[in-house]
Amino acid sequence: MSETKRKLSIKKILIRDALLILLILSMFTYVKCRRRDAFTDKGAYKTISLEGKWYKVDVDTITVVTVTKKGTYKEEDVSGKKIKEGTYEIGNHVLRMDNKIYSMNYVDEEKLFQDAIEGDPSLYEFRKYFYIKEKDRKIYYFDNDMEAADQVEDNCSTNEYYEKSGMFDENGFAIDGNGVLLAYNGNAKEITLPPEVEEIAENAMSADYGRAVGTQKITIPATVKKIDTGAFSFSTVHTVVLEQGIEEIGKWAFGDSSIKEIYFPDSIANIQEGILDTEEGLNGMKIYYKSGSQVERYFQQYPPEGEYELIRQ
């Protein structure tokens, strides 16, 4: 390579690197300005006041947060022991607490549904709350302790709670002491449920709950005797194989799922209505069953809506 060409190549590299640095700086400035704008132009949140007492719910923990009009807050545990205190500022769908900024959603149901209210508003039970996001976790703030307690109850069936409680094993299965599979958050493409599983709980494989999201095939062994209502609701799994030995399937067990193939054994004796119900009907699902089985009689009596193929084995 000649000296002239070498100089030109070096010049091109320097220009490219300079443009890359400018791009990174521009992105940083853009993000910084967007955050600044969120506090200077608060949009619909400019009239929101957080002054008062809020019950903070972080997974399964409730604390009490007292917020002042002057932009300060104090957090205490339920016994009144101070945890921390600091400053806050409301922006447009964001909340700055001390030096950290969180995305924020504020809900006042009385105002939200005021056009639909008929009669005396005091006859309705409206909630007022907001939540912020810490990575993928929602942290709620309610204006009364009963709503906070209800949220804790709901949270106790989430992946976040199972993770915090150390219930997920190294393969991503959360199984309680009674052999009930509560959730699977692993990323294996094909899995067979562990032999200690005797029952699959509601939403255990639901993608809406962040479960079995990357899994394409699940084999349910004979040790499992019951599949609860909605266990695979909204599942993104493609193939489900139920082995001989399974006895009971709850209502809407595979409802609104993306299952393309499902295999039923003839050991199933109890099948509730609507196990494959979907809002828009099935779309080409292949359903395998044993001749003369309860499953065959079930589909004769309760044929699903949509397009599907019944395949006798």
Side-chain angles (χ1 to χ4, degrees):
M1 182 183 292
S2 67
E3 186 66 27
T4 302
K5 288 183 178 180
R6 185 180 295 111
K7 287 180 180 178
L8 287 172
S9 297
I10 293 171
K11 187 176 181 180
K12 286 182 179 179
I13 292 171
L14 290 173
I15 292 172
R16 183 191 65 193
D17 290 349
L19 289 172
L20 182 61
I21 291 170
L22 283 172
L23 178 62
I24 293 171
L25 288 172
S26 298
M27 290 175 65
F28 176 78
T29 304
Y30 174 75
V31 172
K32 191 173 182 181
C33 288
R34 282 289 299 273
R35 285 186 171 182
R36 187 185 302 119
D37 290 343
F39 290 97
T40 55
D41 181 11
K42 298 181 180 182
Y45 280 24
K46 63 185 177 184
T47 60
I48 290 176
S49 172
L50 299 182
E51 183 182 7
K53 183 180 290 186
W54 297 89
Y55 295 87
K56 175 183 174 183
V57 177
D58 188 354
V59 188
D60 61 339
T61 303
I62 297 178
T63 54
V64 182
V65 180
T66 304
V67 178
T68 71
K69 192 175 182 179
K70 296 180 179 180
T72 63
Y73 74 91
K74 179 173 67 174
E75 183 174 352
E76 302 171 317
D77 64 19
V78 291
S79 68
K81 182 180 179 181
K82 187 174 77 172
I83 298 173
K84 65 176 180 178
E85 58 185 1
T87 60
Y88 76 94
E89 182 181 3
I90 302 173
N92 185 8
H93 285 279
V94 291
L95 179 68
R96 180 187 285 121
M97 299 192 75
D98 302 320
N99 295 318
K100 195 168 182 179
I101 297 174
Y102 304 88
S103 64
M104 172 191 180
N105 279 279
Y106 180 89
V107 179
D108 184 342
E109 291 182 345
E110 184 172 2
K111 291 183 179 179
L112 187 64
F113 302 122
Q114 61 183 353
D115 292 338
I117 297 173
E118 296 181 358
D120 186 357
S122 65
L123 299 176
Y124 297 82
E125 292 185 4
F126 296 107
R127 298 186 303 167
K128 183 183 292 185
Y129 65 94
F130 67 94
Y131 64 83
I132 61 175
K133 285 189 176 181
E134 176 73 67
K135 295 182 179 178
D136 293 329
R137 187 173 84 254
K138 288 182 180 179
I139 301 174
Y140 289 87
Y141 295 76
F142 293 94
D143 68 346
N144 70 80
D145 57 349
M146 294 299 294
E147 297 292 348
D150 288 344
Q151 187 62 50
V152 168
E153 186 176 350
D154 290 343
N155 286 353
C156 286
S157 60
T158 62
N159 287 353
E160 291 79 8
Y161 175 75
Y162 298 143
E163 287 172 359
K164 182 178 179 180
S165 304
M167 294 188 68
F168 282 115
D169 64 19
E170 65 276 8
N171 296 313
F173 295 101
I175 306 168
D176 71 13
N178 296 316
V180 179
L181 175 65
L182 302 172
Y184 171 72
N185 74 340
N187 53 13
K189 290 186 177 180
E190 294 189 15
I191 61 171
T192 297
L193 301 189
E196 61 266 32
V197 176
E198 299 179 8
E199 183 178 336
I200 304 176
E202 183 177 359
N203 300 316
M205 293 295 177
S206 175
D208 273 13
Y209 285 72
R211 293 161 185 174
V213 176
T215 304
Q216 296 179 359
K217 180 179 179 180
I218 294 178
T219 299
I220 304 173
T223 52
V224 176
K225 301 304 177 186
K226 182 180 179 182
I227 301 174
D228 288 347
T229 297
F232 282 79
S233 60
F234 302 103
S235 173
T236 55
V237 175
H238 292 172
T239 303
V240 177
V241 179
L242 288 73
E243 293 188 343
Q244 186 73 9
I246 298 169
E247 299 172 355
E248 184 177 351
I249 300 178
K251 187 174 182 179
W252 201 55
F254 306 97
D256 281 301
S257 69
S258 301
I259 297 171
K260 294 179 173 59
E261 294 184 329
I262 186 165
Y263 295 77
F264 291 101
D266 60 8
S267 58
I268 300 171
N270 185 0
I271 312 176
Q272 296 184 24
E273 294 182 31
I275 62 171
L276 296 177
D277 278 1
T278 66
E279 186 175 348
E280 299 178 354
L282 298 180
N283 185 19
M285 180 187 288
K286 293 183 178 180
I287 304 170
Y288 296 84
Y289 67 95
K290 301 291 185 180
S291 179
S293 66
Q294 178 65 24
V295 174
E296 181 179 28
R297 291 187 289 272
Y298 171 84
F299 284 116
Q300 289 172 350
Q301 186 176 0
Y302 305 107
E305 294 185 4
E307 298 179 5
Y308 58 92
E309 184 178 1
L310 289 171
I311 303 172
R312 185 186 291 113
Q313 291 182 302

